[in-house]
């Protein structure tokens, strides 16, 4: 074969032999269909028009110094430069079939096409386009791999074709405009392609175009990373969009999502149609970081779904849904936003499931206008404003949501907002857990509010319904009700810092079957001009009055029980005029104190063990005492307190053999099981000696649980309490979990009461203190006099109540040794340590198998073998979580299986239930 020379750098290879040429154009004129033109590396000032079937190959690819992998060696390649600005360097005509290998085209003007594919089909490997755009029009089809497209103005790649376009492993860089624009009815797929440094948006999809991006990176665009308009559709899987000048994803318009009602589903499966996106804007497994505005902005009639994705470090909102938008989120994490993490405005619809929000500079969720929001199984913490703020005429449903850690409200509803809360938890709020104001209306079932300044505050004129809700440890009032249509039924208010339940001026609320326990102030406080109606309220150990009415207050109070009040059980100010019916006062200094001018109507009220009683003691012969609440007479349903005691008694009667069997069925923990069984035998022997009138040997039931995270310490502690109750050494056997934050106060005089309160909750059961070593760290970090006060208080309480509470302290083995040695009182009370060893590979596999069985999955033998290898190689470092790691692996397997099965059109029941070796996740990368 004649070698290429400077005088003949182009060779035409055909069925008739080889011919050499000075220019590529000369070779093209003589080329027949199927011929290959081999070109020596270098720069060629030519404009080529390709017709028919022809291949242009950089000579290094074809044989001279070829790379076995199929690409040119470094520095090799052919540059085709346009000699004039009015012509592209390369044009592919309709009907042509062009193959390019290692060819780079260089335009004469950056704002004009350097390569124009007007039709036909082009297969382009290596090389690329410089100083001008790639334009694909008509019915042109393109497959491009490993190419670099850079230095264009206005737009780097323009697609407006009915042919299929696929870019694999390409780079679109340094475009003085938009990186890639797809319009018309284009169908384009980008695989492992990077778009870097575009001055405009990274990718723009408009009109009826469809774009699929898989494993792509869009880096540092001057505007949006992805922009959709009109009726476009886009599918992004496993993509990264970072450091955008505008939104990471901006949807101004789109085709409808494929689901018939996108507001009612948060399906985490994703389309896998390789032909293109089926509708809407869909993101799965994506990471959007560093947006200069919102991470995701959706408005107009656009519809977007994001699943299993992370949005973080954006200057605006994580997700902002504007007027007319429909947004669905599932398993999305939003971290460190400069504005509200989730926003729904205008008539937007936002549905979110399993969303985690952390560290928002404003609200976790902000809804305005007439937006509709459905938030389920989600967590919002660390927000600088209220975790959830609803205004104007929004509608929101929150189901199993956890929110808190905010200096403002947990949930704040104003304007004419409508709110439904179900099984939601609000904690650690600097204002109210739930605040309903203006004309907002709310309905809450199973709401729990913990450690907020105020529990629930309702100043709204709209209706409020609270059913089976619980407010715990409010710094001020548990529940405050205003003049609106308000109803509270069921539920409890525990340990409020002031009053339990406050009826503000003008309140006419209805309260039934509610318990108020250990209020620091009064149980029920009724302001002047309020006239509530209460029935079946139990007020236990209030620090002041059980019921207090200001001057001018009224209302009906029926079937109340007030136990051990610090002040008179009922106090009436001047002009108070309530109806008091069937009120029972027990264990009080005084049942009723009334200022001159008070005008109560009293009916069937009684007092038991009251030193200064105005009301008579109940009758005791043969029938329920006149005036007692229902349930206190023979044969009647016992009161809630008695029912609770009955349930505790039933729990204490669990079979010891069943409990030991339950312990034995736990995976691993052989030494722990043996130690617990030995303890049980020892305790039963002690009981027999006492029954025989013999002196009992010294026996400490307090334990140290030493082990790494995820080794079952909490599970065993809970079983240990039930076992002690079964053998009669504990009254209830329940478990109360605590940590440093539960015991240590923040100011002088705060720690002792705080530790006592937790200890009191554990009376009759087990107090389990996790990471107890944080109370006395080995190097002094985090320790203070308050922590030492907590230890001293704990030691004294253990001595004072040594037969009523079992204390278990848990943590890492070395740290726990230091903790026990830090205080002589601890070392004398904790003289037995149970070691929780890390799970081995076989035990981790058994944990996964048990989770699979309980969730109706089957593991193949290949999956078990692959899992065994996975656990063998899994680093046992600080990130290893033992049983927790096994549970996480199982969860990851179910997610991967769901993605895999979603590709099957009609999966069988076996396919839906089977976890294979394909579903085992990759090992985590080691930390850098």
């Amino acid at each position: 074969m004649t070698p290429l020379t400077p005088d003949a750098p182009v060779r035409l290879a055909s069925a008739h032999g080889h011919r050499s040429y000075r220019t590529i154009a000369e070779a093209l004129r003589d080329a027949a269909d199927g011929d290959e033109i081999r070109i020596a590396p270098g720069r060629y000032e030519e404009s080529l028009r390709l017709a028919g079937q022809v291949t242009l190959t950089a000579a290094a690819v074809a044989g001279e110094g070829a790379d076995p992998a199929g690409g040119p060696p470094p520095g090799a390649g052919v540059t085709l430069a346009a000699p004039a600005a009015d012509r592209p360097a390369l044009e592919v005509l309709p009907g042509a079939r062009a193959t390019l290998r290692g060819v780079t085209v260089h335009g004469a003007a950056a704002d004009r096409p350097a390569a124009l594919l007007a039709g036909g089909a082009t297969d382009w490997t290596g090389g690329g386009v410089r100083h001008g755009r790639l334009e694909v029009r008509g019915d042109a089809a393109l497959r491009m791999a490993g190419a670099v497209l850079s230095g264009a103005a206005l737009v780097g790649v323009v697609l407006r074709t009915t042919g299929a376009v696929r870019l694999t492993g390409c780079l679109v860089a340094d475009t003085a405009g938009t990186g890639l624009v797809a319009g018309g009815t284009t169908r384009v797929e980008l695989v492992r392609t990077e778009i870097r440094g575009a001055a405009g948006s990274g990718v723009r999809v408009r009109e009826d175009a469809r774009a699929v991006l898989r494993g792509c990176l869009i880096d540092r665009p001057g505007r949006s990373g992805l922009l959709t308009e009109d009726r476009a559709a886009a599918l992004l899987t496993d993509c990264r969009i970072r450091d955008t000048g505008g939104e990471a994803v901006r949807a101004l318009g789109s085709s409808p999502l494929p689901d018939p009602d996108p507001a009612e589903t948060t399906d985490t499966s994703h389309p896998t149609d390789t032909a293109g996106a089926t509708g809407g804007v869909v993101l799965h497994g994506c990471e959007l970081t560093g947006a200069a505005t919102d991470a995701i902005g959706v408005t107009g009639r656009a519809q977007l779904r994001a699943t299993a994705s992370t949005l973080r470090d954006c200057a605006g909102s994580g997700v902002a849904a504007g007027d007319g938008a429909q947004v669905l989120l599932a398993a999305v994490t939003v971290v460190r936003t400069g504005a509200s993490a989730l926003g729904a405005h205008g008539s937007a619809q936002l549905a979110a499931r399993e969303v985690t929000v952390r560290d928002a500079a404003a609200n976790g969720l902000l809804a305005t206008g007439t937006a509709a929001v459905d938030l389920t199984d989600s967590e919002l913490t660390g927000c600088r404003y209220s975790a959830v703020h609803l205004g104007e005429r929004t509608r929101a449903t929150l189901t199993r949501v956890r929110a808190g850690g905010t200096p403002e409200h947990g949930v704040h509803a104003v304007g004419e907002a409508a709110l439904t809360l179900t099984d939601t938890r609000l904690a650690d709020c600097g204002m109210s857990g739930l605040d309903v104001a203006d004309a907002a209306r709310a309905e809450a079932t199973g709401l729990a509010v913990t450690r907020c300044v105020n529990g629930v505050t309702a100043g709204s004129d709209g209706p409020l319904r609270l059913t089976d809700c619980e407010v715990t440890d409010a710094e001020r009032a548990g529940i405050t009700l205003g003049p609106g249509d308000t109803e509270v039924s069921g539920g409890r208010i525990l340990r409020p810092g002031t009053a339990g339940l406050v009826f503000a001026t003008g309140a006419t609320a209805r309260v039934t079957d509610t318990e108020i326990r250990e209020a620091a102030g009064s149980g029920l406080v009724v302001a002047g001009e309020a006239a509530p109606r209460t029935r079946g309220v139990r007020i236990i150990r209030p620090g002041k009055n059980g019921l207090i009415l200001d001057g001018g207050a009224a209302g009906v109070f029926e079937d109340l029980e007030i136990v051990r009040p610090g002040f008179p059980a009922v106090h009436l100010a001047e002009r108070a005029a309530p109806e008091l019916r069937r009120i029972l006062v027990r264990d009080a200094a005084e049942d009723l104190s009334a200022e001159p001018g008070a005008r109560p109507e009293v009916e069937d009220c009684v007092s038991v063990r009251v030193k200064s009683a105005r009301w008579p003691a109940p009758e005791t012969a043969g029938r329920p005492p006149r005036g007692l609440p229902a349930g206190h007479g023979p044969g009647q349903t016992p009161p809630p307190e008695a029912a609770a005691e009955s349930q505790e008694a039933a729990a204490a009667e669990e079979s010891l053999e069943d409990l030991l069997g339950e312990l034995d069925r736990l995976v691993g923990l052989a030494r722990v099981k043996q130690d617990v069984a030995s303890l049980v035998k020892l305790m039963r022997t002690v009981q027999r000696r006492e029954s025989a009138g013999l002196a009992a040997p010294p026996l400490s039931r307090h334990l140290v649980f030493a082990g790494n995270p995820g080794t079952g310490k909490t599970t065993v502690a809970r079983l240990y309490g039930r076992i002690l109750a079964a053998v009669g050494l504990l009254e209830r056997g329940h478990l109360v979990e605590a940590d440093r934050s539960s015991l240590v106060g923040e100011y002088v005089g705060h720690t002792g009461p705080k530790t006592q309160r937790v200890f009191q909750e554990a009376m009759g059961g087990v107090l389990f203190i996790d990471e107890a070593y944080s109370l006395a760290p080995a190097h002094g970090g985090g320790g203070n006099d308050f922590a030492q006060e907590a230890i001293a208080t704990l030691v004294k309480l253990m001595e004072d109540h040594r037969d009523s509470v079992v204390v278990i302290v848990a943590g890492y083995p070395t740290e726990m040794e230091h903790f026990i040695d830090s205080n002589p009182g601890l070392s004398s009370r904790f003289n037995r340590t149970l070691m929780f060893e890390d799970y081995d590979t076989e035990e981790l596999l058994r944990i996964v198998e048990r989770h699979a069985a309980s969730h109706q999955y089957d593991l193949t033998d290949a999956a078990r073998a692959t899992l065994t290898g996975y656990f063998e190689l899994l680093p046992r470092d600080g990130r290893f979580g033992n049983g927790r790691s096994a549970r996480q692996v199982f969860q990851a397997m179910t997610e991967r299986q769901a993605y895999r099965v979603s590709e099957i059109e009609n999966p069988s029941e076996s396919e839906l239930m089977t976890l294979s070796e394909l579903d085992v996740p990759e090992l985590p990368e080691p930390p850098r």
Side-chain angles (χ1 to χ4, degrees), residues 403-417:
T406 167
E408 296 191 357
H409 303 291
V411 176
H412 191 204
V414 299
E416 299 179 34

PDB file of all heavy atoms in Angstrom, residues 403-417:
ATOM      1  N   ALA A 403     -41.345  17.579  61.371  1.00  0.00           N
ATOM      2  CA  ALA A 403     -40.824  18.919  61.128  1.00  0.00           C
ATOM      3  C   ALA A 403     -40.410  19.545  62.442  1.00  0.00           C
ATOM      4  O   ALA A 403     -40.974  19.248  63.499  1.00  0.00           O
ATOM      5  CB  ALA A 403     -41.868  19.793  60.425  1.00  0.00           C
ATOM      6  N   GLY A 404     -39.421  20.426  62.373  1.00  0.00           N
ATOM      7  CA  GLY A 404     -39.009  21.110  63.587  1.00  0.00           C
ATOM      8  C   GLY A 404     -37.598  21.635  63.485  1.00  0.00           C
ATOM      9  O   GLY A 404     -37.053  21.822  62.403  1.00  0.00           O
ATOM     10  N   GLY A 405     -37.013  21.868  64.655  1.00  0.00           N
ATOM     11  CA  GLY A 405     -35.671  22.429  64.685  1.00  0.00           C
ATOM     12  C   GLY A 405     -35.622  23.810  64.065  1.00  0.00           C
ATOM     13  O   GLY A 405     -34.689  24.146  63.333  1.00  0.00           O
ATOM     14  N   THR A 406     -36.642  24.628  64.334  1.00  0.00           N
ATOM     15  CA  THR A 406     -36.751  25.948  63.732  1.00  0.00           C
ATOM     16  C   THR A 406     -36.985  26.988  64.820  1.00  0.00           C
ATOM     17  O   THR A 406     -37.635  26.693  65.824  1.00  0.00           O
ATOM     18  CB  THR A 406     -37.916  25.990  62.721  1.00  0.00           C
ATOM     19  OG1 THR A 406     -38.193  27.339  62.366  1.00  0.00           O
ATOM     20  CG2 THR A 406     -39.177  25.396  63.308  1.00  0.00           C
ATOM     21  N   PRO A 407     -36.480  28.223  64.631  1.00  0.00           N
ATOM     22  CA  PRO A 407     -36.766  29.264  65.616  1.00  0.00           C
ATOM     23  C   PRO A 407     -38.186  29.804  65.530  1.00  0.00           C
ATOM     24  O   PRO A 407     -38.586  30.595  66.384  1.00  0.00           O
ATOM     25  CB  PRO A 407     -35.740  30.355  65.262  1.00  0.00           C
ATOM     26  CG  PRO A 407     -35.443  30.147  63.818  1.00  0.00           C
ATOM     27  CD  PRO A 407     -35.531  28.670  63.596  1.00  0.00           C
ATOM     28  N   GLU A 408     -38.930  29.408  64.520  1.00  0.00           N
ATOM     29  CA  GLU A 408     -40.313  29.872  64.372  1.00  0.00           C
ATOM     30  C   GLU A 408     -41.274  28.703  64.556  1.00  0.00           C
ATOM     31  O   GLU A 408     -41.031  27.806  65.348  1.00  0.00           O
ATOM     32  CB  GLU A 408     -40.475  30.584  63.027  1.00  0.00           C
ATOM     33  CG  GLU A 408     -39.630  31.853  62.940  1.00  0.00           C
ATOM     34  CD  GLU A 408     -39.979  32.708  61.740  1.00  0.00           C
ATOM     35  OE1 GLU A 408     -40.838  32.308  60.931  1.00  0.00           O
ATOM     36  OE2 GLU A 408     -39.389  33.797  61.600  1.00  0.00           O
ATOM     37  N   HIS A 409     -42.385  28.712  63.817  1.00  0.00           N
ATOM     38  CA  HIS A 409     -43.409  27.686  63.982  1.00  0.00           C
ATOM     39  C   HIS A 409     -43.020  26.398  63.253  1.00  0.00           C
ATOM     40  O   HIS A 409     -42.304  26.418  62.256  1.00  0.00           O
ATOM     41  CB  HIS A 409     -44.745  28.176  63.429  1.00  0.00           C
ATOM     42  CG  HIS A 409     -45.228  29.459  64.048  1.00  0.00           C
ATOM     43  ND1 HIS A 409     -45.643  29.540  65.355  1.00  0.00           N
ATOM     44  CD2 HIS A 409     -45.377  30.710  63.525  1.00  0.00           C
ATOM     45  CE1 HIS A 409     -46.022  30.780  65.617  1.00  0.00           C
ATOM     46  NE2 HIS A 409     -45.864  31.509  64.529  1.00  0.00           N
ATOM     47  N   GLY A 410     -43.564  25.300  63.736  1.00  0.00           N
ATOM     48  CA  GLY A 410     -43.451  24.066  62.973  1.00  0.00           C
ATOM     49  C   GLY A 410     -44.320  24.126  61.733  1.00  0.00           C
ATOM     50  O   GLY A 410     -43.854  23.951  60.612  1.00  0.00           O
ATOM     51  N   VAL A 411     -45.609  24.389  61.917  1.00  0.00           N
ATOM     52  CA  VAL A 411     -46.549  24.585  60.812  1.00  0.00           C
ATOM     53  C   VAL A 411     -47.329  25.858  61.099  1.00  0.00           C
ATOM     54  O   VAL A 411     -47.905  26.010  62.185  1.00  0.00           O
ATOM     55  CB  VAL A 411     -47.521  23.389  60.658  1.00  0.00           C
ATOM     56  CG1 VAL A 411     -48.535  23.677  59.556  1.00  0.00           C
ATOM     57  CG2 VAL A 411     -46.742  22.117  60.338  1.00  0.00           C
ATOM     58  N   HIS A 412     -47.361  26.775  60.126  1.00  0.00           N
ATOM     59  CA  HIS A 412     -48.007  28.068  60.307  1.00  0.00           C
ATOM     60  C   HIS A 412     -49.001  28.266  59.162  1.00  0.00           C
ATOM     61  O   HIS A 412     -48.610  28.314  57.986  1.00  0.00           O
ATOM     62  CB  HIS A 412     -46.945  29.176  60.273  1.00  0.00           C
ATOM     63  CG  HIS A 412     -47.456  30.516  60.707  1.00  0.00           C
ATOM     64  ND1 HIS A 412     -46.880  31.692  60.321  1.00  0.00           N
ATOM     65  CD2 HIS A 412     -48.497  30.858  61.514  1.00  0.00           C
ATOM     66  CE1 HIS A 412     -47.533  32.708  60.854  1.00  0.00           C
ATOM     67  NE2 HIS A 412     -48.519  32.212  61.587  1.00  0.00           N
ATOM     68  N   ALA A 413     -50.282  28.345  59.480  1.00  0.00           N
ATOM     69  CA  ALA A 413     -51.327  28.534  58.481  1.00  0.00           C
ATOM     70  C   ALA A 413     -52.001  29.883  58.713  1.00  0.00           C
ATOM     71  O   ALA A 413     -52.488  30.149  59.816  1.00  0.00           O
ATOM     72  CB  ALA A 413     -52.353  27.406  58.541  1.00  0.00           C
ATOM     73  N   VAL A 414     -52.015  30.734  57.682  1.00  0.00           N
ATOM     74  CA  VAL A 414     -52.602  32.069  57.796  1.00  0.00           C
ATOM     75  C   VAL A 414     -53.516  32.295  56.597  1.00  0.00           C
ATOM     76  O   VAL A 414     -53.688  31.434  55.739  1.00  0.00           O
ATOM     77  CB  VAL A 414     -51.510  33.161  57.872  1.00  0.00           C
ATOM     78  CG1 VAL A 414     -50.619  32.960  59.089  1.00  0.00           C
ATOM     79  CG2 VAL A 414     -50.660  33.163  56.592  1.00  0.00           C
ATOM     80  N   GLY A 415     -54.070  33.526  56.514  1.00  0.00           N
ATOM     81  CA  GLY A 415     -54.965  33.843  55.403  1.00  0.00           C
ATOM     82  C   GLY A 415     -56.194  32.959  55.438  1.00  0.00           C
ATOM     83  O   GLY A 415     -56.824  32.776  56.486  1.00  0.00           O
ATOM     84  N   GLU A 416     -56.514  32.369  54.290  1.00  0.00           N
ATOM     85  CA  GLU A 416     -57.640  31.438  54.208  1.00  0.00           C
ATOM     86  C   GLU A 416     -57.151  30.035  53.882  1.00  0.00           C
ATOM     87  O   GLU A 416     -57.836  29.249  53.218  1.00  0.00           O
ATOM     88  CB  GLU A 416     -58.633  31.920  53.148  1.00  0.00           C
ATOM     89  CG  GLU A 416     -59.234  33.289  53.445  1.00  0.00           C
ATOM     90  CD  GLU A 416     -60.184  33.740  52.353  1.00  0.00           C
ATOM     91  OE1 GLU A 416     -60.868  32.884  51.756  1.00  0.00           O
ATOM     92  OE2 GLU A 416     -60.221  34.944  52.072  1.00  0.00           O
ATOM     93  N   ALA A 417     -55.958  29.712  54.322  1.00  0.00           N
ATOM     94  CA  ALA A 417     -55.382  28.402  54.033  1.00  0.00           C
ATOM     95  C   ALA A 417     -56.206  27.291  54.670  1.00  0.00           C
ATOM     96  O   ALA A 417     -56.817  27.475  55.724  1.00  0.00           O
ATOM     97  CB  ALA A 417     -53.943  28.343  54.538  1.00  0.00           C
TER      98      ALA A 417
END
